[in-house]
Amino acid sequence: MRFVLTLSTLALLAAAGQASAACTPMLFGYMDQHRPPYYHGTGPEESRPRGAGIDLVHEIAASANCPLRTTRLPLARLRAAAQLGVLDAIPLEATQADLENYALPVDARGKLDPAKALRLHIVVYVRAGDAILKDAEPAQALRQRRLGINHAVPMVAPLRNLGFKIDDGGVNPARNLEKLVRNRIDGYAVSVSALGDMDAWVARNFGKAVMRLDKPIVTHHIWVAVNKDYFARNRPHVETMWNWLAENGQGRFSKLIKKYEKQSAASGI
């Protein structure tokens, strides 16, 4: 009888362990704008193809065996939606102050851990005929000149603080680069995972009229920010995701971007 009870107890403990180990489905929110190769399509739902950024998010969730759902919102609404628990997670260019509102990976000193984030560069495209040297320092070559960026992205304030005149009326790369070749702005700044991520697309669509400066304006980081209640209920799974991102994220992201670039080149987009 004792043997039977022991087996029953072990079975119950195992079942309880499996239940506690189950990951709550994660609702991940991201912008509802077309930003190839990172996000494809518009509207509230995933498009097909999804884009390199959302393909990577699916891999991040799969690393912790977490069911994933996604939704798309205007960029300005994502932060509040994650903080309030409408969303479980978002991509976030975080600062130390964001630790008050979201769960984010930190190092031994309690500082944001850049090893568990995606590294992005802000690069600048200029008109090839403007006699700006390709190896020029962007801050020196373009300060006090009009710099276009995508509408509602979080880099507006930091670039203004660096002395750039910002025009954020263009909603996507195509619109901003059209403004560039028409002399309505003097440069176009955009975040990329690797410096040359957009070069092939720009060359296909704008030929030799536009070139990228070799040096980025700045390098920054994007974290997976998680609602604090969701984190409290799924801490081991979220930490597994952050650790996977640290070990695999940058390499996988670059490969996914190259895949989309090849698909775009093959289709002539």
Side-chain angles (χ1 to χ4, degrees):
M1 177 65 71
R2 181 178 297 176
F3 179 70
V4 172
L5 288 174
T6 301
L7 288 179
S8 299
T9 302
L10 289 174
L12 289 170
L13 289 173
Q18 289 175 358
S20 65
C23 181
T24 306
M26 172 181 280
L27 179 59
F28 187 92
Y30 66 105
M31 69 168 60
D32 60 355
Q33 299 174 16
H34 184 57
R35 298 281 175 79
Y38 307 110
Y39 308 123
H40 279 228
T42 58
E45 298 180 357
E46 283 186 4
S47 64
R48 291 291 185 272
R50 296 182 294 221
I54 298 309
D55 282 353
L56 183 68
V57 169
H58 279 267
E59 293 189 18
I60 292 170
S63 73
N65 294 316
C66 282
L68 181 72
R69 296 180 296 125
T70 66
T71 190
R72 306 182 72 173
L73 295 173
L75 187 60
R77 291 174 54 192
L78 289 174
R79 278 179 168 265
Q83 185 177 343
L84 294 171
V86 176
L87 300 173
D88 298 317
I90 58 171
L92 185 65
E93 184 180 348
T95 66
Q96 197 68 18
D98 287 313
L99 289 170
E100 295 183 9
N101 299 318
Y102 313 96
L104 291 153
V106 295
D107 60 20
R109 301 172 300 160
K111 303 294 184 182
L112 286 170
D113 190 348
K116 296 179 180 178
L118 284 179
R119 184 176 61 256
L120 297 176
H121 311 279
I122 299 178
V123 299
V124 184
Y125 289 89
V126 297
R127 287 181 293 273
D130 277 2
I132 298 176
L133 296 177
K134 200 170 187 305
D135 63 352
E137 293 285 349
Q140 296 176 3
L142 292 165
R143 185 174 283 126
Q144 299 304 316
R145 302 180 71 178
R146 193 166 295 278
L147 191 66
I149 65 172
N150 296 328
H151 179 66
V153 297
M155 70 175 82
V156 174
L159 290 180
R160 282 185 174 142
N161 291 338
L162 290 173
F164 292 101
K165 294 181 178 180
I166 300 300
D167 179 338
D168 62 342
V171 297
N172 56 40
R175 294 280 182 85
N176 275 292
L177 289 165
E178 287 169 4
K179 291 169 70 172
L180 177 62
V181 299
R182 293 176 182 175
N183 294 294
R184 293 170 57 192
I185 56 177
D186 301 304
Y188 168 55
V190 63
S191 289
V192 293
S193 175
L195 297 179
D197 276 353
M198 285 187 56
D199 287 357
W201 181 87
V202 171
R204 283 196 304 275
N205 289 276
F206 296 92
K208 296 182 179 180
V210 174
M211 71 174 189
R212 175 179 55 81
L213 300 186
D214 291 337
K215 300 175 183 178
I217 296 176
V218 69
T219 296
H220 59 128
H221 297 85
I222 301 292
W223 282 267
V224 174
V226 178
N227 169 266
K228 286 193 172 184
D229 288 339
Y230 182 91
F231 180 71
R233 289 181 281 116
N234 300 275
R235 180 168 185 158
H237 300 91
V238 173
E239 290 182 342
T240 295
M241 293 185 218
W242 288 338
N243 290 334
W244 185 92
L245 186 59
E247 295 173 6
N248 305 282
Q250 204 71 38
R252 284 297 301 150
F253 199 31
S254 295
K255 289 179 180 178
L256 288 167
I257 288 168
K258 289 176 182 176
K259 180 191 78 171
Y260 276 92
E261 284 292 343
K262 288 179 180 178
Q263 291 175 355
S264 295
S267 62
I269 297 174

mmCIF file of all heavy atoms in Angstrom, residues 83 95-104 228:
data_model
loop_
_atom_site.group_PDB
_atom_site.id
_atom_site.type_symbol
_atom_site.label_atom_id
_atom_site.label_comp_id
_atom_site.label_asym_id
_atom_site.label_seq_id
_atom_site.Cartn_x
_atom_site.Cartn_y
_atom_site.Cartn_z
ATOM 1 N N GLN A 83 2.569 48.104 -20.527
ATOM 2 C CA GLN A 83 2.603 48.470 -19.117
ATOM 3 C C GLN A 83 1.301 48.110 -18.415
ATOM 4 O O GLN A 83 1.293 47.653 -17.264
ATOM 5 C CB GLN A 83 2.879 49.974 -18.980
ATOM 6 C CG GLN A 83 3.060 50.438 -17.546
ATOM 7 C CD GLN A 83 3.404 51.911 -17.464
ATOM 8 O OE1 GLN A 83 3.816 52.525 -18.448
ATOM 9 N NE2 GLN A 83 3.228 52.502 -16.300
ATOM 10 N N THR A 95 15.466 52.382 -21.598
ATOM 11 C CA THR A 95 16.429 53.082 -20.762
ATOM 12 C C THR A 95 16.309 52.523 -19.350
ATOM 13 O O THR A 95 15.379 51.768 -19.034
ATOM 14 C CB THR A 95 16.148 54.592 -20.734
ATOM 15 O OG1 THR A 95 14.888 54.817 -20.072
ATOM 16 C CG2 THR A 95 16.090 55.167 -22.152
ATOM 17 N N GLN A 96 17.233 52.903 -18.487
ATOM 18 C CA GLN A 96 17.218 52.404 -17.112
ATOM 19 C C GLN A 96 15.895 52.730 -16.413
ATOM 20 O O GLN A 96 15.403 51.945 -15.598
ATOM 21 C CB GLN A 96 18.400 53.005 -16.346
ATOM 22 C CG GLN A 96 18.756 52.290 -15.062
ATOM 23 C CD GLN A 96 19.320 50.894 -15.274
ATOM 24 O OE1 GLN A 96 19.760 50.552 -16.366
ATOM 25 N NE2 GLN A 96 19.323 50.087 -14.227
ATOM 26 N N ALA A 97 15.294 53.872 -16.758
ATOM 27 C CA ALA A 97 14.036 54.272 -16.134
ATOM 28 C C ALA A 97 12.896 53.310 -16.468
ATOM 29 O O ALA A 97 11.923 53.200 -15.715
ATOM 30 C CB ALA A 97 13.670 55.687 -16.556
ATOM 31 N N ASP A 98 12.996 52.584 -17.583
ATOM 32 C CA ASP A 98 11.932 51.669 -17.986
ATOM 33 C C ASP A 98 11.810 50.465 -17.069
ATOM 34 O O ASP A 98 10.793 49.758 -17.097
ATOM 35 C CB ASP A 98 12.155 51.192 -19.428
ATOM 36 C CG ASP A 98 11.860 52.279 -20.450
ATOM 37 O OD1 ASP A 98 10.796 52.919 -20.320
ATOM 38 O OD2 ASP A 98 12.687 52.491 -21.354
ATOM 39 N N LEU A 99 12.804 50.232 -16.224
ATOM 40 C CA LEU A 99 12.719 49.116 -15.276
ATOM 41 C C LEU A 99 11.585 49.321 -14.274
ATOM 42 O O LEU A 99 11.122 48.363 -13.662
ATOM 43 C CB LEU A 99 14.051 48.958 -14.539
ATOM 44 C CG LEU A 99 15.217 48.422 -15.377
ATOM 45 C CD1 LEU A 99 16.522 48.537 -14.607
ATOM 46 C CD2 LEU A 99 14.958 46.979 -15.787
ATOM 47 N N GLU A 100 11.116 50.545 -14.104
ATOM 48 C CA GLU A 100 9.995 50.793 -13.202
ATOM 49 C C GLU A 100 8.690 50.245 -13.773
ATOM 50 O O GLU A 100 7.776 49.906 -13.014
ATOM 51 C CB GLU A 100 9.853 52.300 -12.955
ATOM 52 C CG GLU A 100 11.026 52.924 -12.224
ATOM 53 C CD GLU A 100 10.796 54.398 -11.951
ATOM 54 O OE1 GLU A 100 9.649 54.869 -12.175
ATOM 55 O OE2 GLU A 100 11.730 55.083 -11.526
ATOM 56 N N ASN A 101 8.601 50.165 -15.082
ATOM 57 C CA ASN A 101 7.327 49.831 -15.725
ATOM 58 C C ASN A 101 7.292 48.470 -16.396
ATOM 59 O O ASN A 101 6.200 47.958 -16.678
ATOM 60 C CB ASN A 101 6.983 50.901 -16.756
ATOM 61 C CG ASN A 101 6.824 52.272 -16.140
ATOM 62 O OD1 ASN A 101 6.222 52.417 -15.075
ATOM 63 N ND2 ASN A 101 7.376 53.287 -16.791
ATOM 64 N N TYR A 102 8.461 47.889 -16.705
ATOM 65 C CA TYR A 102 8.511 46.628 -17.442
ATOM 66 C C TYR A 102 9.563 45.715 -16.823
ATOM 67 O O TYR A 102 10.502 46.170 -16.173
ATOM 68 C CB TYR A 102 8.885 46.863 -18.914
ATOM 69 C CG TYR A 102 8.128 47.969 -19.583
ATOM 70 C CD1 TYR A 102 8.674 49.252 -19.657
ATOM 71 C CD2 TYR A 102 6.875 47.759 -20.153
ATOM 72 C CE1 TYR A 102 7.988 50.289 -20.272
ATOM 73 C CE2 TYR A 102 6.183 48.787 -20.767
ATOM 74 C CZ TYR A 102 6.743 50.053 -20.824
ATOM 75 O OH TYR A 102 6.064 51.075 -21.426
ATOM 76 N N ALA A 103 9.404 44.418 -17.066
ATOM 77 C CA ALA A 103 10.460 43.462 -16.738
ATOM 78 C C ALA A 103 11.443 43.436 -17.898
ATOM 79 O O ALA A 103 11.056 43.244 -19.057
ATOM 80 C CB ALA A 103 9.870 42.078 -16.517
ATOM 81 N N LEU A 104 12.723 43.625 -17.579
ATOM 82 C CA LEU A 104 13.789 43.664 -18.566
ATOM 83 C C LEU A 104 15.008 42.951 -17.989
ATOM 84 O O LEU A 104 15.201 42.928 -16.771
ATOM 85 C CB LEU A 104 14.158 45.110 -18.915
ATOM 86 C CG LEU A 104 13.113 45.910 -19.702
ATOM 87 C CD1 LEU A 104 13.242 47.406 -19.430
ATOM 88 C CD2 LEU A 104 13.262 45.621 -21.194
ATOM 89 N N LYS A 228 5.020 43.221 -16.198
ATOM 90 C CA LYS A 228 5.517 42.684 -14.928
ATOM 91 C C LYS A 228 4.661 41.534 -14.392
ATOM 92 O O LYS A 228 5.186 40.593 -13.796
ATOM 93 C CB LYS A 228 5.629 43.805 -13.899
ATOM 94 C CG LYS A 228 6.812 44.736 -14.168
ATOM 95 C CD LYS A 228 7.090 45.638 -12.985
ATOM 96 C CE LYS A 228 8.391 46.408 -13.189
ATOM 97 N NZ LYS A 228 8.737 47.228 -12.002
#
